[in-house]
Amino acid sequence: MSPSNLDPGQFLEQEDAAAVVAPARDLFSLLSRSLKLPPTIAALVTRKTGDRVLIRPGAEVAGDDATEVMFFQTAPLEFRLERSGVTSADRYLCDGAAAVSVTIIPERSEAESFRNAVLGSRRVVRMDAIAQHLEQEAGGALARFAEEHSADDLIDGRHATDAAVAVREALTTVCFQAGLTLTDDPSVSFDSEGGRAVRSKEAKVARRLDEQAAQAQLEDALSAARSKRVGELESTMDRLQSLAAESPGAALPDLLRTFSESERARLYTALFESQDVAPATRWLVAAVADELVFFAPGQLERPARRIRMSGEIGALRSIQVASLSGGEYRLLAGAARGVYELGPESSSAEVCYSAVGLGEVRGGVNAAAVSDEDVFATHSELGLLRWNRSAPQHCTPCCVDLTTNARAVRNVRIAGDRVFFSADDRIVSVALDDEHDRRMYTGSGAVITSLLTAGTDLFAGNARGEVLHWPDGSTGAPQVLHGGSRRPAESLALVSGGGVERLFYTDTTLAVFARVLGDTFTCRYHAGGQTLQRAEAAADLVVAMDDPRWSLLVWRSNQPDRPLANINIHNLTDHSIQDITLVPLGA
């Protein structure tokens, strides 16, 4: 920063600036003979007589009789002081570092000391200059401390407090001479590549021995547990089969309601865990930045293929799978300003539905749906969009009166001859052939974050984490299936099997939930302490993304206790996950 044309405001904006000296002639004019200091800047003013006066932060600096002004920060200045190649007591090379916070003391004599010791003949001092002024003393203290302690103790920080005291004592004199004061104890750390290598080797040997002993114990325990569990499952399944034989037309949840809650839990658990799950999923697909990443269920350790999706409509935001009336499956990849359509086995986008001409956007298409003739998409900034599949460049906004003032337009779905979407806390159903034929589903009380249609029933999650149910075409106050955690319920999926229907959902907590419809029993797919954001479910697999959106967790549907796989998408692509879907077999 040049001292000419100095503006104290500009000086304050530079994060690494510590002090600046400016001639009075560059600061004051005939019409402006004073300036006001910002709240964290002080000034040392040199008069024509040679004496100096300190002006405190927030006060005014008068230009009369001034020859130059040193502006300096009074807020703490934080930096690291490092010393490489120090030697520990057990002769390992180490690198030491001290995180230091100092303040230029806003007193006249201390400011003069800083001016003489640090600034010298320079006009500008940044934090690195102060660090250079202190690093010799700090480095010496780090070296001396390292010589007195083992590499293990240094790396683990067992004597970090003593190290901080040593560095502080070493810096006390040099800080005093330079008009500085330490605002807090230094934070000292050491590392040693050689020391860590030896520790790692020793730890591996110890871990291998422990693993061998633990494996032997585990095999014994598993063998005993299998024998006991098989007997319990056989007894439980005998009870279920007897019930079904006695009441051939009854639904399983109705039969089980005659049991106590704890008995029902054991029966449902036995039912789900003992099922032979047939393959039902062709692909697990993740939308990541500008590509779709495909995983085969039997080979989750690496992608089966990756498809780049590039074009004028921008990067990906969502991914859904939908079926046409003839049973053909299509993938719909929502982007910033439109939708890509392709088949599950395609190697590139087959159609690009563009909304480029509708204005600038910051978000993207959060959901898309397809019928034989049309593609629909929801976009919180652009609303509900519609394209005829024969005219992908012609985009028509729909239900504009409902979406113009809505903050969240999401979750488009097609069911039968109607299209469903959410606008803030309402769900709207519109006839495909008549935009004015509308139904409103109300009673959420919070923004709708997920939506699922199932025959005449409607399910939704909201921003409070609640899972709601509008049964048999009702549009008023919904049933509350899940009370919520005040974090969004991001996804819903319905899976049938074993004579029951299960509603899968997440509420940004530590599990995927699966509730038996017609009962209160809920199974949890545990994530090992990881918070989950979104999930998809099929008869054979359950998949969820973690809250940072870096990894995918995959479970077999009959093994909820622990994930089958944890796929780190961030390591694979250097990007976070936008959305996930499961493509059925036969697609």
Side-chain angles (χ1 to χ4, degrees), residues 68-89:
E68 69 172 23
V69 181
M70 180 182 75
F71 298 94
F72 62 93
Q73 279 279 9
T74 61
L77 305 171
E78 298 178 352
F79 43 83
R80 282 170 61 87
L81 302 175
E82 300 178 347
R83 175 64 65 89
S84 300
V86 298
T87 304
S88 66

Side-chain angles (χ1 to χ4, degrees), residues 301-320:
E301 62 272 14
R302 66 178 64 88
R305 59 195 170 105
R306 298 166 68 169
I307 301 177
R308 187 75 61 187
M309 311 293 283
S310 59
E312 65 174 1
I313 65 174
L316 301 182
R317 295 291 191 276
S318 60
I319 181 68
Q320 283 85 37

Side-chain angles (χ1 to χ4, degrees), residues 54-75:
L54 184 94
I55 310 299
R56 295 194 173 278
E60 288 197 356
V61 178
D64 296 336
D65 296 328
T67 59
E68 69 172 23
V69 181
M70 180 182 75
F71 298 94
F72 62 93
Q73 279 279 9
T74 61

Side-chain angles (χ1 to χ4, degrees), residues 316-333:
L316 301 182
R317 295 291 191 276
S318 60
I319 181 68
Q320 283 85 37
V321 61
S323 62
L324 303 179
S325 60
E328 178 187 1
Y329 284 96
R330 305 297 289 170
L331 284 172
L332 300 172

